[in-house]
Amino acid sequence: MGKGGALSEGVVKKVLLSYAYVAIWIFLSFTVIVYNKYILDRKMYNWPFPISLTMIHMAFCSSIAYLLVRVFKLVEPVSMSRELYFQSVVPIGLLYSLSLWFSNSAYIYLSVSFIQMLKALMPVAVYSIGVLFKKDAFKSETMLNMVSISIGVAIAAYGEAKFDSWGVMLQLLAVAFEATRLVLIQILLNAKGISLNPITSLYYVAPCCFAFLCVPWVIVEYPLLRDTSSFHLDFAIFGTNSLCAFALNLAVFLLVGKTSALTMNVAGVVKDWLLIAFSWSVIKDTVTPINLFGYGLAFLGVAYYNHSKLQGLKAAEAQKKAQQADEEAGRLLEERETDGSGRKSETQN
């Protein structure tokens, strides 16, 4: 009874911790999205400088990551040559900077709810680019699923009350660059046995992003900031905003490291619905029935895609275990045969 009780207590504790990690990630992701919207939206804080905001985030994250890796040595750096850095990290940093720039820019033109609906296209972009780079195999069933997601998002866009073509283009570009970044991480880093946690990822990638963003910032935003009082930052607002962005990276590490990537996908769906509800009820964004119907259709497609990926991972894991069991059985059989041959020789002697 004692053992059973201890086991039950351990299982309950593990489940509660998993829910805690999910809740922390949802809260921080929710906070960063709404906070960025608040800062950038012309009707709220009215600081429409997405490149500058992204650079502030990257500078803050770079500084904290440097302190954790180099000064306090709480995180071990990854062994990486200069050649590998320029061949692998720099392209990923470029794509990440473009993704963040365009994603933050979209908050100026689109509602939070509609942006979340457009983000449902991420699996479509990741799969399409994966097929293009020959990282994923083309499957008619999967492509049909991608088409259903795209149709759902198109219906949601058709029902959007405050549709802005420029904002939609910015968000779609952000999705495309982010999907390409995710695929290139698999090709350029994971395939070479290099795995970056959120801290080491920020340590290597954030300075690179900051450097790339300096070019458009000097051309696009610096002249505007120079000629207005917007250059004087409110450290309370931007400091807490940057801290939330950094904490979100740690929450991703906790969620994926302690649970699974699938849990994060499911939590992401919950977060999207919460953001849509918040956008409608608090920010007073218009959410139409056609919006919800289209996103619901896209949501079902994304859920089916995640389910298919989970089944594929389970099948691969089962195959790997079966192969290991066969190898172990073969090794034991070989040892017995060797043992038997030795004994037989001794008997004959």
Side-chain angles (χ1 to χ4, degrees), residues 48-86:
F49 301 104
I51 305 174
S52 302
L53 182 63
T54 308
M55 289 176 70
I56 291 169
H57 288 172
M58 291 299 102
F60 183 88
C61 291
S62 297
S63 303
I64 299 296
Y66 181 85
L67 289 173
L68 292 174
V69 173
R70 291 296 180 188
V71 179
F72 298 111
K73 301 187 185 300
L74 296 175
V75 181
E76 284 292 323
V78 176
S79 178
M80 187 178 299
S81 66
R82 187 182 298 270
E83 183 183 4
L84 180 62
Y85 181 83
F86 281 103

Side-chain angles (χ1 to χ4, degrees), residues 71-121:
V71 179
F72 298 111
K73 301 187 185 300
L74 296 175
V75 181
E76 284 292 323
V78 176
S79 178
M80 187 178 299
S81 66
R82 187 182 298 270
E83 183 183 4
L84 180 62
Y85 181 83
F86 281 103
Q87 289 180 351
S88 301
V89 175
V90 169
I92 291 169
L94 173 61
L95 290 167
Y96 194 36
S97 64
L98 291 170
S99 170
L100 292 172
W101 171 15
F102 292 135
S103 180
N104 283 333
S105 298
Y107 286 113
I108 299 172
Y109 305 96
L110 303 176
S111 67
V112 170
S113 57
F114 187 42
I115 286 174
Q116 299 313 120
M117 294 176 190
L118 291 174
K119 284 182 180 179
L121 286 170

